[in-house]
Amino acid sequence: MPTLSEYDKQVISTWGLQNSVDIISLSHTRSSEDVRELRAFLKSHDLQDTQIYAKVENAEGLEHFDEILQEADGIIISRGDLGIDLPPERVFMSQKTGIHKCNMAGKSVIITRVVDSMIDNLRPTRAEATDVANAVLDGTDGILLGAETLRGQYPVDAVRTVGRICAEAETVYNQSLHFKKVARHVGEPMAHEESVASSAVRSAMKVKAAAIVVFTFSGRAARLIAKYRAPMPVLAVVFPREGSDPSKWRSYGTTQVSNRRIYLSIYLSICMCFSLKESVNLHLLTVTGEAMFFCERCLPFDGEY
């Protein structure tokens, strides 16, 4: 049975194309070939920017997890079906291992089936609440609710409850430890872009920056920085070029001068917003598209910049 059915292709080529979908979840992904097949289909329908999240929900998918991760833009660990395909005592390790591998690769990972009891009840069980928090502490990027919001009696409460648990868990998440794990996994010598991204995050943490501002053409620089899980917001300022290949976006000569003026304007706007909100001096770390970075002190705007 093919992973990508004819009906799937029909929906993608009609509704998906009309709405320029951002992400497609590929259910029952069994190998990297499934992801490549969908990628080729998307490119043939002018949806090359659509991301693919491979949904791993059986033993075969787990067996080929590494190659799937390499091809996909993100992973969804479907614990409901994994709980059927695997012995119960193996599900937790599959989840933790999968999350760790995604974190080290800098790719998004989402887990499912967390508060099933809220299909019929207003509150989750203590075990479910702890399960959500532990998933966040393990490094998951998102929680996907299913039956809780599809046919549950308390869909809004389910979203709010899970959101509050995630927010509370994030307050004690050890970003410093995560940074060290990723840096150790990348190893040395680092690629130039990895070195810049990790150094930017390290500098931002040391000066307790309010935010990291990334100027980027393709978004890759912002994703690399996000990989190191900075404790402050990462703001990506993107300058797209219509009709061009995002992987080939470049800036030269007078265009660079013009862009730098735009950078300064946006940078000062962000400084003003943060200064007005906090009424204190702030640090912003700026990372440019040319893989340069510098740290500046942001003072309340007085018309002199």
Side-chain angles (χ1 to χ4, degrees), residues 281-298:
N281 293 343
L282 301 170
H283 285 87
L284 291 180
L285 188 76
T286 306
V287 182
T288 74
E290 294 89 2
M292 302 287 288
F293 72 95
F294 57 92
C295 187
E296 295 190 0
R297 189 161 183 77
C298 171

Side-chain angles (χ1 to χ4, degrees), residues 46-78:
D46 199 28
L47 288 170
Q48 59 272 9
D49 293 330
T50 299
Q51 294 191 335
I52 300 173
Y53 278 38
K55 199 171 184 183
V56 177
E57 41 196 327
N58 53 45
E60 188 175 356
L62 284 177
E63 184 180 349
H64 300 100
F65 189 91
D66 291 348
E67 64 180 60
I68 293 172
L69 177 60
Q70 187 174 354
E71 291 291 334
D73 299 295
I75 298 289
I76 299 174
I77 300 177
S78 180

